[in-house]
Amino acid sequence: MRKGQDYLDSIKDGRQVFIDGEKIDDIATHPATAGVVAETARMYDRHFDSEWDKKLNVEIDGVKKAIGFVKPTTIEYLDQAMEGYRAESFEAAGNISHPPQYGANIMCGAYDPVVSFGPKDRADAVTKKYHDVLESERFVAAPYVSAISDRFNAPENRLRPYVVEERDDGIIVSGAVGLGTGLVYAEELLTAPLPGPLTPEQAIWFSWPAASPGCKIYGRQPSAHANNKFQSPLSMNYDELDATVYLENMFVPWENVYVYRDVEFCNTYMNHHVTWLVLMHLTRMLARMEYSIGLALAVADALGTNKNAAVLNIIVDLVVDSETLRAGWKAGMLNGSMTPSGVIAPEPLHIGASTIYALNNRARFGDTVRTLGGFGGMLAPSLADLENPEIGPEIEKAYGGGGYTARQRAAILHLIQDHTASAMDAREAVFEALASAGLYTWKLRTRMDYGRFEELANGVLRSISDENIPPIDLSFMSQFDPLMRG
């Protein structure tokens, strides 16, 4: 099993990372990236921690393995892997969307459709890569979104990755692709084009090392508003920098090419490709919700309102929301089905409905916790305020008491701000809304997956059977919208 130091050693690979116009020499030490690098290393090291052992490890044929890197051939494996991720995600307040095991899930998403339904000449390559990621426990991340300018260009002129040259030993690729969370920190990247107008040269699924010549990674600006962990305890540690990747004549060997020049396959199976990815997103949303409950309880205790009946009712409402989300999450896994390639795919209807519930109610969750903090969350003193000899003693009188020092109480109030009202929280809200193609697409997926529209509509007609009303045809409900992505 891999250790955190193994990961830290692997990212000293000469990758080209740019943040806010600066080329980063070492992502393990730069303030904008060091927090997530350290958390990623901790995620590996937790597998050797006795308190995490049963959550993150499983014994198979006498060998202990990290459950996040085990092929989900049973519902039990899939369930344990997601439970482990939920526990780890809670530690980061639900902010780390791309942990190391993300790579195993996204490679499963490439492996399954290619092996089950795809081009047979590429099945061996994707199988070998998937098994290699499971064995090596390497960190893989995946960007999918085309450059904004693509919508204004003809398909043949778009910047989505495309083959410049085909050679005996592989292909030469150029282009740009983004909304890639984890790209700055991952060891290998994988991409596949979103459905829509594609030329054969753009119809490729492939992966490449992050440090490949010709690959540049552009991260967004950091979210932390204060460069210290007292005021930005979450932003300083868990601010994943979403990124865009620019490829310029980058070589990709055939063993890293999983689909090539198959437009129909790319348009048909991209949604299936993200099956396990969206399950991880829902898992993280649940962990964030549970973190919000814990923060609400901590705030109520710090402010002395934890025995107030109205406050307790609010917290119970958060519990009901959390358990509603958890029920759909569990149902999605426990009703999963075996695919032709031999892995368990979660039930998409339950995952879709639960994700829509989380997206529709996210703002309310944050506002509830923020409100419990009252005005204290807005006025919490900084560390410099507390240490100032002139005003520090006065702040101690105003914020101390009830078993808390002023510094302890202020730290909790700053945590509220960072979790529910920071730039990182705003980024998180946008990420949740867009990372899985948005609420409209989730409703479309749910409509296509429901499968009971005709049954229910015609079941109602049995109540007025004497009128001989003809059966209602709702078969179109399971069809994809004719308006494809541009």
Side-chain angles (χ1 to χ4, degrees):
M1 292 169 60
R2 202 179 195 200
K3 294 185 177 181
Q5 189 60 50
D6 298 325
Y7 164 73
L8 294 175
D9 292 340
S10 75
I11 58 176
K12 297 176 181 179
D13 53 8
R15 65 186 60 201
Q16 297 189 74
V17 175
F18 297 80
I19 299 172
D20 200 19
E22 176 188 359
K23 188 173 183 180
I24 306 303
D25 293 325
D26 186 357
I27 63 171
T29 59
H30 192 278
T33 54
V36 174
V37 169
E39 178 63 13
T40 303
R42 280 192 292 271
M43 286 180 172
Y44 280 112
D45 284 337
R46 285 188 184 119
H47 293 82
F48 301 90
D49 186 330
S50 59
E51 293 186 7
W52 286 87
D53 183 53
K54 292 184 178 180
K55 295 177 182 178
L56 301 181
N57 299 317
V58 63
E59 190 168 301
I60 301 175
D61 297 329
V63 179
K64 184 179 288 188
K65 294 180 177 291
I67 187 61
F69 289 91
V70 170
K71 183 187 289 190
T73 54
T74 69
I75 288 175
E76 290 73 21
Y77 285 165
L78 181 64
D79 181 62
Q80 185 184 346
M82 291 301 109
E83 283 284 7
Y85 173 48
R86 179 174 67 96
E88 285 202 292
S89 189
F90 179 89
E91 298 298 310
N95 289 302
I96 299 294
S97 60
H98 290 55
Q101 62 264 44
Y102 177 94
N105 278 270
I106 201 58
M107 281 308 307
C108 183
Y111 161 82
D112 179 64
V114 173
V115 172
S116 297
F117 316 108
K120 301 305 178 186
D121 60 325
R122 296 287 91 208
D124 288 344
V126 74
T127 300
K128 183 177 180 181
K129 174 60 67 172
Y130 178 40
H131 290 164
D132 174 67
V133 170
L134 295 179
E135 289 298 318
S136 66
E137 300 176 358
R138 298 179 75 233
F139 184 2
V140 182
Y144 294 118
V145 180
S146 302
I148 290 175
S149 63
D150 271 6
R151 70 187 63 189
F152 305 107
N153 298 325
E156 64 273 13
N157 295 325
R158 293 185 171 180
L159 292 180
R160 63 180 60 184
Y162 60 94
V163 176
V164 175
E165 179 186 351
E166 180 181 332
R167 301 186 341 197
D168 291 340
D169 56 348
I171 54 178
I172 305 297
V173 178
S174 290
V177 62
L179 190 59
T181 305
L183 306 189
V184 172
Y185 318 97
E187 298 161 85
E188 191 158 353
L189 311 180
L190 176 143
T191 192
L194 295 176
L198 290 172
T199 67
E201 292 76 21
Q202 298 163 345
I204 46 174
W205 293 12
F206 65 100
S207 64
W208 68 99
S212 295
C215 173
K216 295 179 181 179
I217 303 171
Y218 292 68
R220 63 166 170 81
Q221 296 180 8
S223 298
H225 73 279
N227 195 27
N228 66 73
K229 293 183 180 180
F230 182 77
Q231 287 176 251
S232 303
L234 303 179
S235 300
M236 287 294 293
N237 286 316
Y238 312 125
D239 186 21
E240 289 180 305
L241 298 183
D242 313 286
T244 299
V245 175
Y246 291 84
L247 308 177
E248 184 176 0
N249 295 323
M250 186 184 73
F251 173 69
V252 182
W254 285 119
E255 57 262 31
N256 284 0
V257 179
Y258 316 123
V259 177
Y260 181 50
R261 299 183 69 84
D262 194 332
V263 173
E264 182 179 0
F265 179 87
C266 289
N267 285 336
T268 302
Y269 290 103
M270 176 57 199
N271 192 52
H272 187 79
H273 180 29
V274 299
T275 296
W276 293 267
L277 177 156
V278 295
L279 174 60
M280 290 196 75
H281 285 324
L282 179 59
T283 304
R284 180 185 52 76
M285 291 178 187
L286 175 60
R288 183 182 178 85
M289 182 71 237
E290 293 176 335
Y291 189 91
S292 295
I293 295 173
L295 182 54
L297 291 165
V299 169
D301 187 77
L303 298 183
T305 58
N306 58 349
K307 295 182 180 179
N308 180 292
V311 170
L312 293 178
N313 279 340
I314 290 172
I315 292 175
V316 170
D317 285 341
L318 290 175
V319 171
V320 171
D321 287 321
S322 175
E323 288 302 296
T324 300
L325 196 58
R326 186 178 184 276
W329 174 68
K330 275 289 185 182
M333 291 184 287
L334 299 181
N335 289 299
S337 58
M338 184 71 72
T339 72
S341 77
V343 296
I344 297 294
E347 168 54 51
L349 178 60
H350 299 313
I351 301 302
S354 297
T355 300
I356 291 170
Y357 182 83
L359 292 174
N360 280 337
N361 291 282
R362 185 193 188 283
R364 178 170 59 81
F365 299 156
D367 185 61
T368 299
V369 177
R370 198 162 47 243
T371 300
L372 289 175
F375 65 83
M378 296 182 288
L379 301 176
S382 69
L383 203 55
D385 292 331
L386 292 163
E387 294 174 350
N388 185 290
E390 184 174 351
I391 63 174
E394 297 175 0
I395 293 174
E396 183 64 42
K397 292 179 182 178
Y399 277 80
Y404 288 85
T405 66
R407 177 167 177 162
Q408 290 170 336
R409 185 167 280 118
I412 294 176
L413 295 173
H414 281 301
L415 183 58
I416 296 176
Q417 288 294 99
D418 211 16
H419 183 58
T420 68
S422 65
M424 188 173 73
D425 175 58
R427 170 267 169 196
E428 174 68 18
V430 174
F431 176 84
E432 289 185 358
L434 299 178
S436 305
L439 190 58
Y440 170 82
T441 302
W442 271 114
K443 290 185 177 181
L444 172 60
R445 290 169 175 154
T446 301
R447 190 196 76 199
M448 294 172 65
D449 291 329
Y450 186 59
R452 298 186 63 205
F453 291 109
E454 285 192 6
E455 172 196 340
L456 298 179
N458 290 305
V460 168
L461 296 184
R462 289 196 294 271
S463 299
I464 46 176
S465 56
D466 292 343
E467 302 302 323
N468 295 318
I469 299 175
I472 299 173
D473 179 8
L474 296 175
S475 58
F476 67 90
M477 298 289 279
S478 63
Q479 298 171 5
F480 192 79
D481 278 2
L483 182 60
M484 296 288 287
R485 180 186 302 274

